[in-house]
Amino acid sequence: MLDKLPHSIDPTLLTRFATIVGDKYAITDPQMQAPYVVERRDMFTGRTPLVLRPGSVAEVAAILKLANETATPIVPQGGNTGLVGGQTPINNEIVLSLNRLDRIREVDPTSNTMTCEAGVTLQRAREAAAAADRLYPQLLPSEGTCTIGGTLSTNAGGTAALAHGVTRAHVLGIEVVLADGRILHDLNKLKKDNTGYDLKNLFIGAEGTLGIVTAAVLRLVPRPRAIETAFVAVPSPEAAVALLTVATERAGGGVTSYELMPRLGLELALRHGSGLRDPLATSHQWYVLIELSSQHTSGLREVIEEVLAQALQRGLVVDAAIADSIEQAKTFWRIREMLGEVQRHAGGSIKHDISVPIAAVPAFLKDAHAAAVALVPGARPMPFGHLGDGNIHYNVLQPDGADKADYLAHWDAMNAAIFAVVKKYGGSISAEHGVGVVKRDLLPLVKDPVALELMKSLKRMLDPKGILNPGKVLARDP
Ligand SMILES: Cc1cc2nc3c(=O)[nH]c(=O)nc-3n(C[C@H](O)[C@H](O)[C@H](O)COP(=O)(O)OP(=O)(O)OC[C@H]3O[C@@H](n4cnc5c(N)ncnc54)[C@H](O)[C@@H]3O)c2cc1C
């Protein structure tokens, strides 16, 4: 997906960049570069003359200063788990990996904050919070690899956003290296700070196009004392939405996750996931995974039982299994977490990460299904994901036995068909994965023109030479 001729960088300039981090951390060997240029789903393969792995904020600043002076494009990267190609050096840019900035600078259980450098993985951040008897309330299936810098830069969502919000809700302070190498020091722990514009939110969700995040102060919450997890069969998406209402009316903010799964996804997970079995005795078309949590050590089991009993009575639930152990709850979650990955066993999958108002999800699913099969007869929609946020990964699998390449040739047309339905219901074409290169050219079609113009103005102001992740989110200036 080249969008201009590959950028070529003078070898003596490459040496100047390498000197900043030292030869050991300046990777030029293509084999050693592979983990930084190949995205794990193989949707994007980039190319770079140099991967830089700075070990300090000062080194990041020195790299950007030189990049700015020499108009050298840079692609920042965390764990390389992004799903929209934002972290891939598509035009031979230098890769700036933040994974050596991996110190947890502080955990402060009294202020309920944690200060992490950009390269700390989400899993390590959560473990450090747990060691202080706190919860860092963000959870992504990619937690072992994705980084705090990456989650901030994509404003990631995940399976706990229903109760705790997306990344923006977790960030109190930020440290950012600007395009010219200056450092914005804003690592404050304050809940209240009305001293002007909220600059940190410019960099959160900017996908590395406005600055390099080097550290952040993250908000912690008390660790739950009880968790209940149920795998529930529902007769329809309408029933799933109604069940969510029953659960939130009874448990309020204690509904931490509410995930939708179709039968097709469960079948693929059971077929390709080792040691998994169907949690329910008979098969059903739709399932939800519900997680409730509470600060009270007792009583939560009764709450989930009440919710399910009430829903059963109203015909909103047809069968359910409540996890009897942490192990069983993990098995339920494993099924859900495998849904993204197991699709590859079914051939080509045309993916969408959309959101619509929760009440509109059932109608969206119906219309999107009709649109998908009208375009490709026999196509198999496999919608799953964060129903509690109105965020559905609306992936459409190829017809059984079809040729994968022939099917994937429908990618743009399928996107257009599904996005038309998203628009009809007032939704978003990118709920949580971002824009990157995958959705960049669609942005002008869906974004308010004034908003788009403001975005371009901000980009020009913060990165006048266009060195930061050029061509991602916004097209390059002509
Ligand atoms: C199995 C799987 C499950 C996933 N589930 C979810 C999910 O539930 N919800 C969700 O929201 N996402 C999900 N993702 C997507 C992905 O994990 C998130 O987008 C994550 O936030 C990316 O973090 P990363 O460190 O891997 O960033 P990368 O992939 O390395 O980078 C992502 C973007 O951020 C930029 N960037 C990275 N670090 C910095 C930095 N320090 N400063 C400035 N820019 C930077 C990059 O240039 C790129 O544009 C999933 C991915 C996988 C593979």
Side-chain angles (χ1 to χ4, degrees):
M1 201 192 267
L2 279 179
D3 65 357
K4 61 171 249 184
L5 286 177
H7 191 89
S8 98
I9 304 174
D10 181 68
T12 51
L13 183 54
L14 292 178
T15 308
R16 287 173 69 195
F17 277 110
T19 307
I20 296 172
V21 295
D23 282 350
K24 185 173 171 202
Y25 298 113
I27 307 171
T28 51
D29 174 43
Q31 241 175 343
M32 286 173 69
Q33 287 182 345
Y36 301 90
V37 297
V38 181
E39 180 246 23
R40 64 201 62 218
R41 293 170 309 166
D42 271 348
M43 271 180 76
F44 300 96
T45 300
R47 195 154 68 85
T48 182
L50 187 62
V51 175
L52 294 171
R53 301 183 60 222
S56 68
V57 180
E59 286 183 6
V60 175
I63 290 166
L64 286 204
K65 189 165 182 294
L66 180 58
N68 198 49
E69 281 165 10
T70 56
T72 308
I74 299 282
V75 175
Q77 192 179 95
N80 191 14
T81 68
L83 298 174
V84 288
Q87 72 279 18
T88 309
I90 285 168
N91 286 299
N92 207 35
E93 298 94 342
I94 288 179
V95 173
L96 176 58
S97 167
L98 278 301
N99 59 12
R100 281 182 66 225
L101 290 192
D102 63 352
R103 273 190 322 127
I104 295 174
R105 294 189 191 166
E106 186 195 48
V107 180
D108 176 352
T110 309
S111 305
N112 274 317
T113 62
M114 173 167 67
T115 307
C116 286
E117 292 186 348
V120 173
T121 62
L122 177 57
Q123 186 174 352
R124 260 192 70 218
R126 283 173 57 87
E127 286 167 359
D133 199 24
R134 294 291 179 273
L135 176 73
Y136 178 54
Q138 176 151 62
L139 192 50
L140 310 182
S142 52
E143 66 163 344
T145 312
C146 73
T147 61
I148 293 302
T151 56
L152 261 73
S153 300
T154 56
N155 187 30
T159 52
L162 172 60
H164 299 287
V166 296
T167 307
R168 271 204 179 95
H170 311 319
V171 182
L172 289 171
I174 202 167
E175 182 184 83
V176 179
V177 178
L178 302 180
D180 60 7
R182 281 179 300 157
I183 302 171
L184 170 68
H185 296 282
D186 190 19
L187 282 178
N188 78 73
K189 296 182 182 178
L190 307 174
K191 273 191 170 171
K192 295 186 169 181
D193 175 23
N194 281 347
T195 53
Y197 306 138
D198 185 357
L199 297 177
K200 69 175 180 300
N201 272 317
L202 273 183
F203 300 98
I204 300 172
E207 301 181 45
T209 61
L210 299 181
I212 307 289
V213 177
T214 48
V217 180
L218 306 171
R219 193 195 296 266
L220 303 178
V221 298
R223 219 149 60 87
R225 302 298 158 190
I227 294 178
E228 293 290 347
T229 312
F231 196 96
V232 183
V234 291
S236 62
E238 286 83 354
V241 170
L243 171 60
L244 174 62
T245 304
V246 174
T248 41
E249 280 172 2
R250 180 63 184 83
V255 186
T256 28
S257 300
Y258 197 82
E259 300 285 311
L260 181 74
M261 295 170 284
R263 179 71 201 172
L264 175 58
L266 176 60
E267 276 170 8
L268 287 171
L270 296 177
R271 205 172 309 146
H272 302 288
S274 66
L276 291 178
R277 60 186 184 84
D278 193 334
L280 303 176
T282 51
S283 71
H284 305 274
Q285 280 313 300
W286 294 99
Y287 303 89
V288 288
L289 184 58
I290 310 179
E291 187 187 274
L292 302 189
S293 53
S294 162
Q295 294 313 118
H296 300 288
T297 47
S298 60
L300 194 61
R301 172 57 73 115
E302 289 72 20
V303 173
I304 198 158
E305 283 173 354
E306 268 174 42
V307 167
L308 293 175
Q310 203 191 111
L312 200 63
Q313 230 175 20
R314 288 175 48 189
L316 304 177
V317 163
V318 279
D319 198 1
I322 302 176
D324 268 327
S325 63
I326 293 175
E327 279 319 304
Q328 199 181 5
K330 277 188 185 159
T331 314
F332 293 174
W333 271 111
R334 231 183 106 220
I335 293 172
R336 159 63 188 89
E337 283 166 1
M338 287 190 70
L339 298 189
E341 199 264 324
V342 289
Q343 292 160 63
R344 72 188 159 83
H345 299 288
S349 169
I350 301 181
K351 298 172 195 290
H352 311 85
D353 163 41
I354 67 92
S355 63
V356 292
I358 296 168
V361 170
F364 163 80
L365 291 175
K366 217 169 274 164
D367 288 7
H369 189 110
V373 298
L375 183 69
V376 181
R380 294 168 295 164
M382 190 187 126
F384 68 97
H386 320 302
L387 174 58
D389 304 319
N391 174 193
I392 303 293
H393 300 311
Y394 197 85
N395 297 349
V396 187
L397 310 189
Q398 68 177 53
D400 219 356
D403 178 80
K404 183 174 172 181
D406 284 352
Y407 175 66
L408 291 180
H410 295 285
W411 190 287
D412 289 342
M414 184 67 80
N415 283 179
I418 302 303
F419 292 151
V421 185
V422 171
K423 190 172 178 195
K424 174 176 170 190
Y425 291 104
S428 166
I429 64 164
S430 180
E432 61 173 7
H433 295 161
V435 176
V437 280
V438 171
K439 291 179 185 153
R440 182 195 67 190
D441 296 337
L442 295 167
L443 217 53
L445 307 177
V446 295
K447 202 88 188 158
D448 171 70
V450 177
L452 201 60
E453 197 40 57
L454 279 176
M455 284 170 63
K456 288 179 186 167
S457 306
L458 284 166
K459 172 72 176 168
R460 280 192 290 267
M461 186 196 75
L462 285 165
D463 181 20
K465 296 198 179 166
I467 60 161
L468 287 173
N469 222 357
K472 310 291 171 56
V473 182
L474 295 169
R476 297 157 195 274
D477 273 339

